[in-house]
Amino acid sequence: MPSWAVVLGTGLSQALPDVHILHSIQFGEIPEFHAATVTSHQGCLHLATILGFPVWLQCGRLHLYEGYTPGDVVMPIRLLHGLGVRRVLLTNAAGSLHHAWDAGDIMVVADHINMTGHSPLRGPNVEAWGDRFPDMSAVYSPALQELALGAGCACGVRLRHGVYIGVRGPELETPAETRMYKRLGADAIGMSTVLEAIAARHLNLEVCALSVLTNKNLPGNMAPACLEDIIGVANAASRDLARVIAHMAPGMDATPTAPCVV
Ligand code: HPA
């Protein structure tokens, strides 16, 4: 069974040429799961191989803005952990808050700021999953960040490296909000990933995240953001993303270095 999983976000579920799908199941067919309500998200889990390496591929995810609880949003991560996954690669579409980074660039997430106002760990702690107060000093594994950056070099895809800020959405940001998020130290902004990363670290999974920058989100020159454009850029960039993921596959599949909670 696969020891790692990839979560593919908005518009990123295609263009995985080296993937061979062995078995697929829709979210709605999995007990306790919810169907994805966003049309740009497929909502299915594939048992697959990438270049022969076994992997779980989660196409689509659930979001707070759809009305789901933080527990619903991270349910797939907890399920994957139960299936024996020890490393997760989270991908997302995000707005670039960095003046020099363009739509179509891909960013390796170095750290995050959780501005959703939610935590998947609120409420009674399930000791079998992890600690009451889990450490968040290195949410995104430094070793997996190196792996991703090295994969980018190896396959000729220039990768950015920065901080992702997660917001609840679904509305996009005002110029004043964008100015604030930049000042808080964020380089990219999106409506996913942070809750999944928190739940994964609670489970002591090793986490890596890649953000496809689908639009520039700068306070001085904000263009009205349109979902079709965001999905179009995500689709175009997903070929580069697929190359990076394929180059990461041997390293993602390796025996985890961190001790695992089972
Ligand atoms: N803001 C929030 N979420 C996003 C954006 C954005 O500019 N682009 C893609 N997801």
Side-chain angles (χ1 to χ4, degrees), residues 93-95 167 172-173 189-191 214-215 217 230:
V167 293
L172 289 137
E173 298 71 42
I189 183 162
M191 302 175 193
T214 50
N215 55 295
N217 192 334
I230 288 177

Side-chain angles (χ1 to χ4, degrees), residues 14 50 94 100 144 146 172 174 196 213 240 258-259:
Q14 39 234 264
I50 297 181
L144 296 186
E146 286 303 316
L172 289 137
T174 65
E196 291 150 282
L213 306 180
D240 282 346

